[in-house]
Amino acid sequence: MKRLLTGLQPSGQLHIGNYFGALKPFAEMYGEYESFLMVADYHSLTSLKDASALRENIIEIVRGYIAAGVDPNKAVIFKQSDVQEHTELAWIFECLVTVPFLELAHAYKDKVAKGLEANAGLFNYPMLMAADILLYDTEVVPVGRDQQQHVEYAREAANKFNVAYGQTFTEPQAKILGTVAVVPGVDGQKMSKSYKNTIPLFGSKDDISKAVMSIVTDSSGERPENVYAIHKLFKPESELSSIYGTNKGNYKTLKEALIADIDAFVAPMRAKYEAITEAQVKEVLEQGAAKARAIASAKMADVRKKVGVTI
Ligand code: ADP
Ligand code: TRP
């Protein structure tokens, strides 16, 4: 079996964009590989400086993946900060790549352009991600298209190390998740926790209603496109055509139909989510960390020898 690893930053509440773009496709494919699912908590420190929010987000992500169908007995679910070799290896990669090379990263440029602080962690971020991937001899990295370049950076880090110190790391391949188009937010832009335009994945019906009622409608067209674009994720377009046909211009009714459809869709998943306790999450992460550490520490022992710090 090929080895797969992916990571998700616990930087905010899970939303339906995350579900269709990441959780669902991951849950559908991870069983075909030896899979590692990592909570990238150190990555999220580049943007999140609220300890209690981070703690809650970590727990929510683990519960979210399990509720979405990932079996912790079939995938190694672990937290980046539990395996110290990640930050250690990132440093070594940082000493192999140049500043101009890191300056080419789109994600960094985009985030800074959007007003995020250009901290050194954000700048070096691709080398921590390279370490996440390469420590495990990962072959396949399922990510959204926005992360494809970071997988290229991991390939380059592997290559730089292999050339300098001898064959050590496997060059991974990105597998682009989400044939699903980008899920739009309530304002019609890409749904993202950074834009405060989300519909929460595990929210109550009330939370869903509030978000859906705030969807921006545009009265110029035949149907409210922002409502429809979200609705078609939850109901086949063949069924939607009659609902949108009979309720032309009646945005309130259409939004109410959408609320009911989202709620019906997430209800079973939400029940599963709510049944998972914090103690269960901790146990999953402890078991995952033990498995991840065993692999990472063996790899790092080899790396330390190769770079010359083991005397
Ligand atoms: P956010 O944009 O809310 O910060 P992340 O960047 O943490 O979300 O994304 C986590 C995963 O969810 C990625 O794999 C990403 O591709 C996917 N994802 C996030 N937002 C969307 C969206 N609006 N549509 C489709 N997939 C998304
Ligand atoms: N940078 C990824 C994101 O923001 C998260 C991530 C961290 C990741 N480490 C990873 C993804 C390793 C894949 C593999 O979405």
Side-chain angles (χ1 to χ4, degrees):
M1 262 193 190
K2 284 192 179 179
R3 191 172 279 171
L4 170 155
L5 180 141
T6 193
L8 207 83
Q9 293 193 55
S11 48
Q13 252 195 344
L14 291 173
H15 54 74
I16 63 169
N18 296 141
Y19 177 73
F20 288 102
L23 277 73
K24 181 171 181 268
F26 182 81
E28 284 166 357
M29 70 171 300
Y30 81 101
E32 294 161 37
Y33 300 87
E34 183 189 354
S35 290
F36 291 73
L37 179 59
M38 187 192 75
V39 182
D41 51 353
Y42 274 152
H43 272 116
S44 67
L45 287 184
T46 59
S47 62
L48 182 63
K49 268 90 180 175
D50 176 338
S52 68
L54 177 54
R55 202 179 156 278
E56 273 174 34
N57 295 343
I58 291 169
I59 295 166
E60 174 172 341
I61 273 201
V62 176
R63 290 166 83 195
Y65 268 96
I66 299 172
V70 179
D71 179 346
N73 296 311
K74 294 194 185 139
V76 176
I77 303 179
F78 74 104
K79 186 150 66 63
Q80 189 178 38
S81 62
D82 283 338
V83 185
Q84 293 174 4
E85 285 80 358
H86 290 241
T87 45
E88 186 180 355
L89 182 58
W91 174 256
I92 294 175
F93 289 149
E94 281 157 31
C95 296
L96 283 168
V97 298
T98 65
V99 168
F101 173 66
L102 289 175
E103 276 171 345
L104 299 174
H106 307 307
Y108 174 75
K109 286 189 278 195
D110 291 351
K111 284 182 176 173
V112 173
K114 276 182 195 133
L116 252 83
E117 178 186 83
N119 61 58
L122 189 63
F123 187 69
N124 290 330
Y125 176 128
M127 293 301 104
L128 180 55
M129 181 159 160
D132 300 337
I133 296 167
L134 300 178
L135 269 175
Y136 301 90
D137 293 316
T138 304
E139 289 173 86
V140 180
V141 185
V143 282
R145 197 162 289 287
D146 57 319
Q147 294 292 319
Q148 187 169 14
Q149 190 192 26
H150 286 160
V151 180
E152 293 301 322
Y153 272 75
R155 292 170 62 86
E156 184 60 17
N159 184 256
K160 281 259 158 68
F161 190 99
N162 292 343
V163 168
Y165 298 110
Q167 181 59 40
T168 308
F169 293 110
T170 306
E171 287 188 28
Q173 295 284 349
K175 185 174 171 79
I176 303 306
L177 280 183
T179 37
V180 195
V182 170
V183 177
V186 298
D187 56 358
Q189 280 198 75
K190 171 192 183 294
M191 186 177 292
S192 168
K193 59 191 171 260
S194 339
Y195 306 153
K196 304 208 181 332
N197 63 354
T198 63
I199 300 176
L201 178 58
F202 295 110
S204 62
K205 189 164 181 185
D206 246 25
D207 299 330
I208 297 170
S209 301
K210 245 185 240 149
V212 170
M213 285 303 173
S214 74
I215 296 176
V216 176
T217 44
D218 166 1
S219 50
S220 63
E222 274 283 285
R223 62 181 188 208
E225 289 305 331
N226 295 338
V227 180
Y228 188 85
I230 298 173
H231 214 155
K232 69 182 187 194
L233 297 164
F234 296 92
K235 205 167 226 161
E237 291 192 70
S238 53
E239 289 177 45
L240 288 182
S241 62
S242 75
I243 303 171
Y244 280 73
T246 29
N247 291 291
K248 260 188 206 147
N250 192 348
Y251 299 154
K252 187 158 177 286
T253 306
L254 292 171
K255 284 181 172 180
E256 279 163 357
L258 174 58
I259 292 165
D261 287 336
I262 296 178
D263 190 58
F265 181 90
V266 299
M269 212 164 35
R270 191 169 54 206
K272 212 169 152 193
Y273 177 88
E274 283 165 0
I276 302 164
T277 65
E278 228 176 274
Q280 282 169 310
V281 168
K282 281 189 184 161
E283 199 185 312
V284 164
L285 289 176
E286 261 168 45
Q287 286 175 0
K291 288 183 194 155
R293 266 187 219 121
I295 299 168
S297 65
K299 193 77 182 177
M300 226 22 236
D302 183 34
V303 169
R304 286 191 209 101
K305 251 189 245 150
K306 284 186 165 138
V307 300
V309 294
T310 304
I311 53 166

